[in-house]
Amino acid sequence: MKIDSKLRFSDGHEMPAFGLGVFLSEEGDECANACKWALDKGYRLIDTAAYYRNEATVGNVMRESGIPREALFVTSKLWNDDHGYDSTLRAFDKSMEQLGLEYMDLYLVHYPVPEKRLDTWRAMEKIRESGRCRSIGVSNYMSWHLEELLANANTPPVLNQIEMHPFCFGNKRRESIDLCREKNIVVQCYCPLVRARRLEDPVLQKLAEKYGKTTAQILIRWALEEGFSVIPKSSKQHRIHENAEVFDFAFTPEELAEVSGLNEDFIVCWDPTQTE
Ligand SMILES: NC(=O)c1ccc[n+]([C@@H]2O[C@H](COP(=O)([O-])OP(=O)(O)OC[C@H]3O[C@@H](n4cnc5c(N)ncnc54)[C@H](OP(=O)(O)O)[C@@H]3O)[C@@H](O)[C@H]2O)c1
């Protein structure tokens, strides 16, 4: 596994498994620097969203990077207020305008908003057919949201982005993951660092010591070894570097199982298990 190793989607496109998240990276210098440092380090995937208000900065850095467009991968997301067929089409246009790129690699439904989400998906399919977005997927979908979507979609989602780390790896997550695996939907972990709230965990510390790594690196490596895509966020250059230095060691099967057994059903973002 390398920094630009790819995962293949069911629609034939590929995405780097590892990337940079930019939630709370402020539009302007903060986000621009984070993206530049990341690209210099070898990151090729950047995860933004209309809600983050930094799509313009992400697009700008990508355009000016000198890196061929095909080597870069950008994800953005449809915000909750924009669900519905026509408003999804409009929101996508706005995101494209902000990004200033010829195409988006992956557009996600940010959250399974009840009632409107199937109309939204019809618009997502239309967007994909237009060729302005290569792949479409979802975020925060639990197994029942996915089942509903798969029963109604012409084009299935290629990816499900959900909060995932060893402390949030209980039955409901695992049901969603199992369904994704069965249906060839890539699982992408957000909040993979638990927003830095479990970096003192003794099991993580033990492994960090053994491998000469930080506990943040242990968490990122865990996600990759479980076969997930992972998008840690940092706005600091030294951490953007640190988070990418996870490709020179590997857990034993026992260690992987030990980390995967740390579940506390602890979530740091929103809770889609409460959404019908
Ligand atoms: N689809 C969704 O609903 C959804 C929800 C949440 C997040 N996301 C996506 O997932 C990405 C990651 O999630 P997240 O940003 O919420 O949380 P995260 O990646 O788990 O944690 C980010 C936090 O950890 C700190 N950090 C980063 N690297 C560190 C390191 N090596 N050591 C110690 N602290 C470190 C960062 O601070 P500094 O910046 O100061 O380094 C920041 O406060 C987001 O940026 C976003 O792209 C999606």
Side-chain angles (χ1 to χ4, degrees):
M1 220 184 315
K2 298 182 301 180
I3 191 166
D4 60 349
S5 290
K6 310 277 195 308
L7 293 169
R8 182 173 280 271
F9 290 152
S10 59
D11 65 7
H13 291 296
E14 290 187 328
M15 176 192 72
F18 174 80
L20 178 76
V22 294
F23 178 48
L24 299 182
S25 269
E26 242 177 76
E27 173 79 343
D29 284 352
E30 183 176 281
C31 181
N33 284 331
C35 294
K36 281 184 207 156
W37 291 325
L39 294 182
D40 285 348
K41 181 70 180 167
Y43 290 61
R44 290 294 176 264
L45 155 64
I46 300 182
D47 180 83
T48 181
Y51 182 67
Y52 305 168
R53 298 189 182 281
N54 54 21
E55 290 167 303
T57 301
V58 171
N60 205 28
V61 172
M62 284 190 160
R63 275 196 317 278
E64 291 183 353
S65 67
I67 299 168
R69 175 68 185 90
E70 317 81 66
L72 297 170
F73 192 103
V74 63
T75 303
S76 193
K77 312 186 193 83
L78 172 86
W79 183 237
N80 299 353
D81 296 341
D82 294 320
H83 270 253
Y85 187 83
D86 290 331
S87 29
T88 296
L89 297 179
R90 279 197 298 273
F92 176 75
D93 284 346
K94 194 155 172 228
S95 283
M96 287 302 288
E97 203 179 295
Q98 292 288 311
L99 284 168
L101 299 170
E102 249 174 61
Y103 66 92
M104 191 190 292
D105 292 278
L106 177 63
Y107 196 41
L108 302 181
V109 177
H110 210 138
Y111 194 88
V113 171
E115 284 159 31
K116 290 186 174 174
R117 61 189 181 232
L118 290 178
D119 280 344
T120 297
W121 192 255
R122 282 195 302 115
M124 298 289 284
E125 291 174 330
K126 173 108 180 149
I127 288 166
R128 179 179 167 272
E129 281 161 24
S130 76
R132 294 168 71 212
C133 175
R134 298 217 158 149
S135 302
I136 50 174
V138 294
S139 178
N140 294 297
Y141 273 50
M142 295 291 104
S143 56
W144 55 97
H145 306 126
L146 285 170
E147 273 159 6
E148 175 202 64
L149 178 57
L150 292 169
N152 287 281
N154 292 318
T155 306
V158 298
L159 177 142
N160 185 18
Q161 184 184 106
I162 51 181
E163 177 171 348
M164 185 104 69
H165 42 73
F167 306 96
C168 169
F169 202 45
N171 288 342
K172 288 206 168 130
R173 304 275 142 174
R174 285 178 187 249
E175 276 166 27
S176 178
I177 296 162
D178 288 347
L179 185 59
C180 286
R181 285 183 170 148
E182 189 192 318
K183 302 291 182 186
N184 197 13
I185 298 169
V186 169
V187 176
Q188 186 169 57
C189 306
Y190 75 68
C191 299
L193 301 174
V194 207
R195 294 194 171 150
R197 294 196 209 161
R198 283 291 185 278
L199 298 179
E200 309 299 317
D201 179 85
V203 171
L204 302 183
Q205 279 183 336
K206 178 183 74 180
L207 292 171
E209 205 168 301
K210 172 175 171 186
Y211 290 107
K213 293 285 170 185
T214 64
T215 49
Q217 289 169 323
I218 296 296
L219 284 168
I220 295 166
R221 182 75 202 182
W222 171 82
L224 292 167
E225 287 203 20
E226 279 286 350
F228 305 133
S229 169
V230 63
I231 46 168
K233 176 263 174 183
S234 178
S235 305
K236 304 205 166 55
Q237 188 174 23
H238 70 282
R239 287 179 175 163
I240 287 170
H241 287 190
E242 174 186 327
N243 294 345
E245 284 159 14
V246 294
F247 298 99
D248 55 355
F249 73 108
F251 300 135
T252 65
E254 294 74 24
E255 288 166 349
L256 187 62
E258 189 179 14
V259 180
S260 299
L262 292 174
N263 179 49
E264 303 169 5
D265 287 325
F266 177 64
I267 51 171
V268 290
C269 197
W270 45 19
D271 185 3
T273 65
Q274 302 306 313
T275 300
E276 277 184 21

